[in-house]
């Protein structure tokens, strides 16, 4: 499988993707070697992805998302000033909470937003 090398135009994407892969891998409690084994690649390949030094092919990106148990879009999304991206991030934080805790958090977020709009 051919990997794209990091270039000036892909560095931001590579860095963001690498950060997401590392975060998800760690959240699953896996070592780089475990993720590499699940993908059938060398540990160094995972290290290069996570450091943003190489971008996976589209086929490998699909496999990576599948193994990590998340949509490709989540791997490619980044923390931006875009409200939709921020809402997706908040959704990831809310997902593991109970329904009552999600209600509690969203109610507080709503109240905070109302207060800030009034400023």
């Amino acid at each position: 499988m051919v990997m794209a090398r990091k270039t000036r135009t892909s560095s931001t994407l590579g860095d963001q993707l690498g950060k997401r892969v590392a975060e998800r891998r760690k959240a699953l409690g896996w070592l780089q070697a475990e993720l590499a084994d699940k993908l059938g690649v060398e540990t160094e390949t995972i290290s290069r992805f996570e450091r943003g030094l190489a971008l996976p092919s589209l086929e490998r990106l699909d496999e990576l998302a599948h193994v990590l148990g998340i949509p490709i879009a989540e791997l490619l999304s980044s923390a931006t000033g875009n409200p939709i991206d921020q809402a997706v991030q908040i959704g990831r934080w809310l997902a593991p909470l109970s329904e009552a805790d999600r209600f509690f958090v969203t109610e507080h977020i709503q109240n905070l937003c109302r207060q800030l709009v009034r400023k």
Side-chain angles (χ1 to χ4, degrees):
M1 190 71 44
V2 176
M3 294 180 294
R5 296 276 183 231
K6 184 174 178 178
T7 64
R8 177 179 276 210
T9 58
S10 66
S11 66
T12 301
L13 175 61
D15 293 341
Q16 292 170 357
L17 176 63
K19 180 180 176 188
R20 293 275 188 236
V21 169
E23 287 172 354
R24 180 63 179 162
R25 175 184 58 77
K26 290 174 185 175
L28 292 169
W30 295 346
L31 299 172
Q32 286 182 342
E34 291 172 291
L35 178 54
D37 185 55
K38 292 174 187 305
L39 283 173
V41 299
E42 297 293 323
T43 302
E44 179 60 25
T45 300
I46 301 303
S47 175
R48 292 176 60 75
F49 289 163
E50 289 186 2
R51 290 180 288 148
L53 298 177
L55 291 172
S57 67
L58 290 176
E59 182 180 345
R60 180 69 69 199
L61 182 63
D62 184 51
E63 292 171 9
L64 189 56
H66 178 73
V67 166
L68 292 172
I70 56 177
I72 290 175
E74 188 170 326
L75 279 178
L76 296 175
S77 70
S78 63
T80 68
N82 182 316
I84 300 300
D85 289 342
Q86 292 169 335
V88 169
Q89 179 63 43
I90 291 169
R92 284 193 291 263
W93 298 336
L94 292 171
L97 301 179
S98 69
E99 184 176 349
D101 288 343
R102 285 193 310 270
F103 179 78
F104 174 81
V105 171
T106 55
E107 186 175 63
H108 280 11
I109 290 172
Q110 185 178 36
N111 288 334
L112 286 168
C113 290
R114 285 180 182 150
Q115 290 291 330
L116 292 170
V117 167
R118 290 184 201 146
K119 277 182 143 181

